[in-house]
Amino acid sequence: MIVGKLYVVGTGPGDPDLMTVKAQRVLRHVDVVVGYRTYVDLIEEILPEDVEIKRYGMREELDRAREAVRLAADGFEVALVSGGDPGVYGMAGVVLPIAVEEGVEVEVVPGVTAACAASALLGAPLMLDFAAVSLSDHLVPLEEILERVRAALEADFVLVVYNPNSSERRHIFEAFVDVLEEIVEEDRPVGIVRNAYRERQSVEVVRVRELRDLADRIDMRSILIVGSSRTRMVGDWLVTERGYSSRTGRNSSE
Amino acid sequence: MIVGKLYVVGTGPGDPDLMTVKAQRVLRHVDVVVGYRTYVDLIEEILPEDVEIKRYGMREELDRAREAVRLAADGFEVALVSGGDPGVYGMAGVVLPIAVEEGVEVEVVPGVTAACAASALLGAPLMLDFAAVSLSDHLVPLEEILERVRAALEADFVLVVYNPNSSERRHIFEAFVDVLEEIVEEDRPVGIVRNAYRERQSVEVVRVRELRDLADRIDMRSILIVGSSRTRMVGDWLVTERGYSSRTGRNSSE
């Protein structure tokens, strides 16, 4: 009996150098690579010439997942690629239920999620408790998303925003800024990272009061990081301070 | 003039294969590697024989950071290693203020944070909005931590818990379970991953009602992931469902 295997591979922020060693090795030995066109293009330089590549459009997650599972069930070694980490708003949760139904073996290969990539470029805004929300309302009602934004800000989490804006849901970005302006002080710093570790990368830190006017610079390939009450500029870096200088200097890092 | 450089390098969950290609390359070309003994030992196999290694104890973050900055100021290329991602409860935020003061150039090299590593082993629990908290109260008052736990659970975030338990702060774990039991239903699934991608790795999914009795199996090297209301077991996997099957199948992945 031929037994295939499905790898769900996180390709990190975009630069193949920021994939894990394991992710690169998996992509170099599988029979087929399946993925969203943009992410496949970003990592194509490391793929062997003879690998079969199946590219899909942005909103064809279920099609991609079904094709990857079908190929693995047919006995192939298959890599389903997912930008960032495949478990954070990625492909792992889409494909696992289908793979279980078809009895296909799956391994999830983690990656550098966009929150960590953006954080590295900004400095260290995620040094204390943080929350991640996606402003895409395709599968989650807007009211529920905004409720979580509100709760995170009120509890003084650093807030990481995935999918912050797009031309077709500008109203969500506006509603998000409304909540921000209501809850945090107007000079709270907000990091905006666009195209992290890709062409046309931009990194800037603005204040909450400036955010509404910057909507045009914020899109689906951007990540916003809203600081907590302990987030400050240190030189050019955005840092959430844990109080080492003023306290005992004792703590446990990750 | 001799100009050094400081790299703050995320070494991922522990297996050198889960470091990024860039992190491995940096560690192979620097003059000195500085870090907490446990993390240095995990990645020592990939270091060149002639690199200088400076190992430190668990609670010597400031000493490590100062030594790394001093060496870079002296003209060396230095890697300060940090488990997981250096920006998530890691070394980036500790060292940046010191480096800015000394005028040393810094680059943060992101890594696979423990939340993503644990998630990959469990399945896909982070498919919707999630919050990360650390239960270490060395630098943050316990009341503030528990308030964030409460806010995250009430807003239906998936909750990732770093540093969930240790022999010296068992009372915090107990207080955390008190809040859990108060807010979420008793059969809400909780993933427990210990030693992710290291020796003696263990992965299990339990229910909130069982958690209190499992305190002995949960330590500083464990990560807990408490599901949201949409988190389910799918076969052996823990998955937070985004509703693809019941809705339009349209959504944007990371």
Side-chain angles (χ1 to χ4, degrees), chain A residues 225-245:
Chain A
I225 301 186
V226 181
S228 77
S229 66
R230 297 184 189 219
T231 306
R232 310 265 180 272
M233 292 304 293
V234 179
D236 294 333
W237 300 105
L238 187 64
V239 177
T240 300
E241 295 186 342
R242 302 179 76 178
Y244 277 89
S245 50

Side-chain angles (χ1 to χ4, degrees), chain B:
Chain B
M1 188 186 136
I2 304 169
V3 179
K5 182 168 175 181
L6 174 60
Y7 297 90
V8 191
V9 179
T11 57
D15 180 346
D17 259 17
L18 288 175
M19 297 178 69
T20 66
V21 173
K22 176 162 192 177
Q24 286 209 355
R25 196 173 53 235
V26 167
L27 288 178
R28 284 183 173 127
H29 95 248
V30 293
D31 305 302
V32 192
V33 172
V34 179
Y36 167 38
R37 180 171 289 106
T38 302
Y39 294 128
V40 175
D41 290 349
L42 284 167
I43 52 107
E44 188 174 6
E45 63 186 78
I46 66 135
L47 300 179
E49 279 188 18
D50 60 345
V51 73
E52 191 178 351
I53 303 177
K54 293 185 178 285
R55 290 177 166 80
Y56 281 82
M58 183 165 70
R59 294 201 174 131
E60 300 167 333
E61 279 90 348
L62 272 178
D63 295 334
R64 271 182 250 161
R66 287 187 188 122
E67 174 79 351
V69 169
R70 189 185 63 74
L71 288 162
D74 283 349
F76 295 102
E77 302 244 303
V78 182
L80 176 63
V81 302
S82 188
D85 178 81
V88 177
Y89 308 114
M91 289 299 296
V94 183
V95 79
L96 281 172
I98 302 169
V100 166
E101 205 169 300
E102 299 296 324
V104 162
E105 185 189 352
V106 180
E107 180 174 346
V108 180
V109 181
V112 174
T113 186
C116 296
S119 169
L121 293 169
L122 287 163
L126 307 183
M127 289 299 292
L128 285 170
D129 304 341
F130 66 96
V133 298
S134 165
L135 293 192
S136 166
D137 68 342
H138 284 133
L139 294 169
V140 180
L142 175 58
E143 205 36 64
E144 191 181 323
I145 297 170
L146 293 177
E147 197 181 298
R148 276 197 286 271
V149 167
R150 188 181 299 274
L153 295 172
E154 283 175 346
D156 205 25
F157 280 98
V158 175
L159 182 67
V160 183
V161 183
Y162 285 72
N163 306 315
N165 197 11
S166 76
S167 50
E168 63 188 68
R169 40 188 183 72
R170 187 73 168 255
H171 64 287
I172 301 184
F173 180 75
E174 291 287 338
F176 165 73
V177 176
D178 287 344
V179 174
L180 264 188
E181 289 183 342
E182 180 193 323
I183 298 177
V184 305
E185 65 279 11
E186 62 165 22
D187 64 343
R188 182 72 67 88
V190 181
I192 305 174
V193 178
R194 193 172 168 190
N195 295 312
Y197 296 101
R198 306 183 205 172
E199 281 180 33
R200 294 186 296 280
Q201 168 182 299
S202 72
V203 180
E204 59 185 325
V205 178
V206 304
R207 304 289 163 174
V208 162
R209 64 174 169 275
E210 303 168 274
L211 203 55
R212 196 181 299 274
D213 292 336
L214 299 176
D216 289 338
R217 302 210 312 245
I218 298 166
D219 62 14
M220 291 286 289
R221 289 159 302 165
S222 310
I223 289 283
L224 302 187
I225 300 186
V226 181
S228 76
S229 66
R230 298 184 188 218
T231 307
R232 308 266 180 272
M233 292 305 293
V234 178
D236 294 333
W237 300 105
L238 186 65
V239 177
T240 300
E241 295 186 341
R242 301 180 75 178
Y244 277 90
S245 50
S246 59
R247 302 272 301 264
T248 61
R250 286 168 44 121
N251 197 27
S252 309
S253 54
E254 181 179 313

Side-chain angles (χ1 to χ4, degrees), chain A residues 149-159 176-190 206-211 225-231:
Chain A
V149 168
R150 189 181 297 275
L153 295 172
E154 284 176 346
D156 205 24
F157 279 98
V158 175
L159 182 67
F176 165 74
V177 177
D178 287 345
V179 174
L180 264 189
E181 289 183 341
E182 180 193 324
I183 298 177
V184 305
E185 64 280 11
E186 62 166 23
D187 64 344
R188 182 73 66 89
V190 181
V206 303
R207 304 289 163 175
V208 162
R209 63 174 170 275
E210 304 169 275
L211 204 54
I225 301 186
V226 181
S228 77
S229 66
R230 297 184 189 219
T231 306

